[in-house]
Amino acid sequence: MTVSTLSSIPQIEKILQQAFISPYIERLSRPIVTNIIRDQVSRFKKQILSEQNNTSFSLDQLYKNINNACWQMHQQRLQRVVNGTGVIVHTNLGRSPINAELWQSVGDVNTHYNNLEIDLHTGKRGKRKGIITELMTQLVDGEDTLVVNNNASSIYLMLHELAQGKEVIVSRGEQIQIGGGFRIPDILALSGAKLVEVGTTNITTTQDYLDAITEDTAMVMIIHTSNFKIRGFTKSADIKELAKNLPDHVVLAVDQGSGTTTENMPDEPTVTSYIHAGADIVCFSGDKILGGPQAGLITGKQDLIKRLEKNPMMRAFRPSRIVYSLIEELAVRKLNQLESGQGVAEYRSTAAEQSLQHRAEQLAEGFGEQIQVVRSEMTVGGGSLPDQTTPSWSVELYPQDQKLQRSAEKVLKIMRSWPLPVIGVIKHDKVQLNMATIDDAEIDYLRRQLAEVLQ
């Protein structure tokens, strides 16, 4: 069908009635789709006016432009993807998936009214912590625990309440930057605390901290280095020795970071180990190793936690009922040693190589040389155990269509456009899908979709 004049272009309402538009209305809403159509029609009209010598324009092309624009908007919507990267706690892919059984168990409390801020015993207004304090006392031995919306908030809140206008001592090797431009020196400045650097990049001793203490020192802060490690000639302070020798007016605060509690994570000190070593207060993430929702947890001495709770910023940092209910239920399951409380990082990082190889062979079966099973590695990721890898197995793709000359980047782009997008990696100029982060239930889907790409 061709368009010779502007008047030949269908009205917006007519286009909205086209069959290919209906799914987009369902997924994006009618107002957004209407705006997309208006924009594409306007562009199409300008094209007609600017190319007056060409009196024939295809309506099919207009519909194709509208479809592409709607699809690009749809791709921005939050949706499930298949993680084929081998990075278990992948920040760009939502960090740790929440266990399905855990998620479903809190559905009832979140889809109905609940006792978020009412004391069922007295009928009066209550606190929104539920039994998190009691659960975390059993889990990590902290006297009290506070929940905020992420671990960056934890650090800011601790500095703002406990060290504003005072000195905070930090090792030079721990003045880190993590994703999104979050820099420790900047956060200290924003909180009103004064940074005091001690030690060197690779060596900071207990005495370095003690020598820097003055009457204006409010805190010594130990920072989890998150996404890097320094190897070789290094030395760090012994937390127990440091805690024992700090003056009473100095708070020993630790950013544990990863949220390791009961999990089997070699070389990653647990929250409990810092509490037992004498740390006054420890903060950590809820959505990394712990296996919960995005949250920051602060645990430690009760008098310090109470001060944080009264800070004016706490109202801005407090999480929703969904977060509280998930953390409560997760802690119960951890204490009961249930598999659903294990956390994805633990059970994936300890997955047997044999099962991963079998999964790779299942995916590759029948594709001949176009899919090859190769050895690879997985990593926890998400700022946890940054330089530690575990053996894994992957499949490597070899598209045979020489006419298309599909590069690895092109194949990845195609995979991201699938109904259930798949995120892979490029190794040796080939696309790899790592079995450590792919579920058994996703194999059949991958086989169907890969058949189209490889053929």
Side-chain angles (χ1 to χ4, degrees):
M1 181 177 180
T2 60
V3 177
S4 57
T5 64
L6 296 182
S7 61
S8 303
I9 298 175
Q11 294 180 339
I12 301 298
E13 188 60 36
K14 275 262 190 198
I15 299 176
L16 281 165
Q17 294 172 11
Q18 294 293 314
F20 77 93
I21 292 293
S22 180
Y24 290 121
I25 291 176
E26 182 180 340
R27 292 287 293 164
L28 301 175
S29 82
R30 186 182 179 90
I32 286 181
V33 173
T34 300
N35 286 341
I36 291 172
I37 293 173
R38 285 200 183 105
D39 179 62
Q40 292 302 317
V41 168
S42 176
R43 292 169 184 258
F44 195 65
K45 287 179 177 178
K46 288 178 181 178
Q47 184 183 3
I48 292 175
L49 292 173
S50 66
E51 301 179 19
Q52 295 178 353
N53 294 332
N54 187 350
T55 59
S56 177
F57 289 87
S58 169
L59 192 58
D60 289 340
Q61 184 60 49
L62 172 61
Y63 287 165
K64 182 178 180 180
N65 294 345
I66 292 170
N67 185 71
N68 289 341
C70 287
W71 177 252
Q72 288 178 21
M73 177 66 75
H74 173 267
Q75 287 292 83
Q76 297 176 46
R77 180 168 175 172
L78 193 62
Q79 57 191 290
R80 176 185 170 184
V81 301
V82 175
N83 179 8
T85 67
V87 180
I88 300 167
V89 183
H90 201 304
T91 301
N92 303 122
L93 304 183
R95 288 192 172 173
S96 291
I98 295 173
N99 178 275
E101 186 181 327
L102 173 65
W103 178 263
Q104 291 162 8
S105 70
V106 300
D108 196 50
V109 73
N110 284 295
T111 55
H112 294 80
Y113 294 110
N114 55 69
N115 61 328
L116 180 66
E117 287 188 4
I118 187 172
D119 187 323
L120 293 178
H121 179 66
T122 64
K124 297 179 179 180
R125 180 172 181 143
K127 297 180 180 180
R128 56 170 60 198
K129 288 172 67 171
I131 62 168
I132 285 176
T133 290
E134 290 78 8
L135 291 168
M136 285 296 161
T137 297
Q138 294 297 319
L139 193 65
V140 299
D141 266 2
E143 293 177 8
D144 201 353
T145 299
L146 175 65
V147 184
V148 292
N149 51 23
N150 59 30
N151 199 40
S153 299
S154 301
I155 295 174
Y156 179 87
L157 188 63
M158 291 191 304
L159 291 168
H160 187 264
E161 175 59 36
L162 305 177
Q164 187 177 19
K166 297 285 188 177
E167 296 174 349
V168 176
I169 303 174
V170 180
S171 167
R172 283 188 175 87
E174 295 174 1
Q175 293 178 44
I176 63 167
Q177 173 176 325
I178 58 176
F182 181 93
R183 290 185 171 189
I184 291 299
D186 293 345
I187 297 303
L188 264 89
L190 286 170
S191 71
K194 301 174 184 178
L195 172 65
V196 175
E197 301 178 341
V198 296
T200 63
T201 302
N202 58 321
I203 293 180
T204 303
T205 66
T206 300
Q207 198 61 45
D208 288 329
Y209 288 106
L210 297 176
D211 288 344
I213 292 172
T214 70
E215 291 182 357
D216 288 330
T217 303
M219 180 183 294
V220 168
M221 177 167 271
I222 308 298
I223 307 291
H224 191 284
T225 52
S226 185
N227 47 17
F228 76 95
K229 284 287 186 184
I230 300 174
R231 296 295 187 189
F233 183 49
T234 64
K235 186 176 182 180
S236 58
D238 180 88
I239 302 296
K240 191 171 184 179
E241 182 186 1
L242 181 59
K244 182 180 178 181
N245 288 283
L246 283 178
D248 292 340
H249 72 281
V250 179
V251 172
L252 177 55
V254 176
D255 166 31
Q256 191 275 340
S258 68
T260 304
T261 56
T262 60
E263 299 79 14
N264 179 27
M265 291 287 152
D267 299 328
E268 183 75 351
T270 64
V271 175
T272 308
S273 70
Y274 283 119
I275 295 291
H276 288 173
D280 297 307
I281 199 165
V282 181
C283 67
F284 53 101
S285 293
D287 57 342
K288 290 184 179 180
I289 304 300
L290 194 67
Q294 176 179 299
L297 288 88
I298 312 172
T299 191
K301 292 186 175 178
Q302 189 174 52
D303 60 328
L304 298 179
I305 299 297
K306 295 304 179 189
R307 286 181 59 183
L308 297 180
E309 287 179 332
K310 294 176 182 178
N311 187 282
M313 290 301 296
M314 184 56 207
R315 189 169 183 86
F317 291 154
R318 70 182 187 184
S320 70
R321 64 187 182 187
I322 299 173
V323 171
Y324 280 112
S325 61
L326 282 167
I327 291 177
E328 267 191 345
E329 183 64 24
L330 175 62
V332 168
R333 290 167 185 254
K334 281 187 177 295
L335 290 170
N336 286 338
Q337 300 181 2
L338 300 180
E339 185 177 339
S340 55
Q342 194 174 20
V344 66
E346 182 178 9
Y347 75 76
R348 285 202 187 277
S349 61
T350 56
E353 278 190 73
Q354 188 175 1
S355 66
L356 298 177
Q357 182 181 6
H358 177 67
R359 194 177 302 164
E361 290 169 349
Q362 278 185 306
L363 181 52
E365 186 178 359
F367 284 97
E369 295 183 353
Q370 291 184 289
I371 298 184
Q372 295 185 13
V373 176
V374 296
R375 285 187 174 275
S376 59
E377 294 178 330
M378 69 174 103
T379 183
V380 173
S384 306
L385 308 174
D387 64 346
Q388 293 188 27
T389 59
T390 305
S392 182
W393 287 85
S394 296
V395 295
E396 201 165 68
L397 310 185
Y398 291 81
Q400 298 297 308
D401 193 334
Q402 297 301 318
K403 293 181 181 179
L404 293 177
Q405 288 294 308
R406 286 174 175 161
S407 65
E409 289 84 0
K410 176 66 174 176
V411 173
L412 284 180
K413 185 175 182 180
I414 292 171
M415 292 165 64
R416 292 195 303 270
S417 70
W418 287 347
L420 174 55
V422 175
I423 313 299
V425 296
I426 297 175
K427 296 281 179 122
H428 316 301
D429 296 323
K430 298 294 180 183
V431 171
Q432 279 192 11
L433 298 176
N434 196 307
M435 296 300 106
T437 46
I438 293 175
D439 292 332
D440 287 330
E442 295 168 336
I443 297 297
D444 286 343
Y445 171 78
L446 286 171
R447 285 181 56 81
R448 291 194 302 271
Q449 295 298 126
L450 287 171
E452 296 182 13
V453 172
L454 297 175
Q455 292 175 5

